[in-house]
Amino acid sequence: MPATSHWDAITDLARRYPKILFKPDHVVTHSKAIITGGGGFSALNAMLYFIEKNCSKEIAIELSKFYALDYGRTSQNIFSVFSGQRLHDDQDIHRAQSYIEEKIKADISVEQIADHVNMSKRNFIRRFKNATRLNPIEYIQRTKIEVAKKHWKWGMQI
């Protein structure tokens, strides 16, 4: 069944409970009689979800306005911090991740990264996905987004 939790706990929970289908970007998940929330205040989102399903959308919206709650938030991606998926033992992929992070402001290709760690492109992509659960392009994109978020937060130029 699907479940969510705080974005920072998902990696550890997924490792400990591999049979659960974690939805790290979801604020609320609902399966059968189980509703899970993404973080401490996501209990309020779960409460609004429960009210909408058991009363009406109008009542849920009215309560969200009365209590100044953000109604309709479905993703916790804006809060998450991409930490690089480094909970694996593949040293070559660790080297590749470091290379990506060092060269993040440059245009780098999967071929360049594979060459850097002395692998064929196909083998590199397979091992990278095994280790990080992301393909290299997704990893590069998420790393670039995280760099941009940090620079934006502090008002810095990239």
Side-chain angles (χ1 to χ4, degrees):
M1 290 195 297
T4 193
S5 185
H6 189 274
W7 59 264
D8 196 32
I10 292 286
T11 302
D12 181 50
L13 290 169
R15 188 172 25 85
R16 288 199 273 157
Y17 307 102
K19 292 182 180 179
I20 296 175
L21 177 61
F22 283 101
K23 305 284 188 170
D25 57 323
H26 289 205
V27 173
V28 174
T29 64
H30 181 198
S31 182
K32 299 182 182 175
I34 299 173
I35 298 173
T36 60
F41 290 104
S42 292
L44 299 172
N45 297 95
M47 177 193 68
L48 289 173
Y49 174 86
F50 182 81
I51 290 168
E52 179 182 332
K53 293 299 174 196
N54 291 285
C55 298
S56 72
K57 183 174 185 174
E58 292 73 26
I59 291 174
I61 290 171
E62 188 176 325
L63 287 171
S64 74
K65 288 177 181 178
F66 185 79
Y67 289 106
L69 300 173
D70 188 11
Y71 178 79
R73 179 178 302 279
T74 59
S75 176
Q76 57 180 334
N77 281 342
I78 63 168
F79 305 113
S80 69
V81 176
F82 179 62
S83 59
Q85 317 285 92
R86 290 192 173 258
L87 297 175
H88 60 83
D89 297 324
D90 191 326
Q91 295 308 312
D92 290 330
I93 300 305
H94 279 295
R95 281 192 10 243
Q97 289 174 284
S98 295
Y99 181 77
I100 291 167
E101 291 158 10
E102 289 166 18
K103 306 286 185 188
I104 199 63
K105 291 183 182 177
D107 284 331
I108 54 174
S109 67
V110 175
E111 291 85 1
Q112 287 174 302
I113 304 164
D115 285 344
H116 180 75
V117 293
N118 300 315
M119 287 184 216
S120 69
K121 180 181 173 183
R122 183 177 172 156
N123 185 45
F124 170 68
I125 292 170
R126 181 185 56 77
R127 281 181 56 185
F128 197 93
K129 194 162 185 169
N130 266 357
T132 67
R133 294 191 307 265
L134 297 171
N135 71 46
I137 297 296
E138 291 172 314
Y139 187 90
I140 292 167
Q141 289 171 338
R142 292 190 64 186
T143 303
K144 284 185 179 199
I145 290 167
E146 197 56 40
V147 167
K149 283 175 19 182
K150 286 177 184 173
H151 285 286
W152 179 79
K153 180 179 177 181
W154 300 109
M156 301 164 73
Q157 295 288 328
I158 297 179

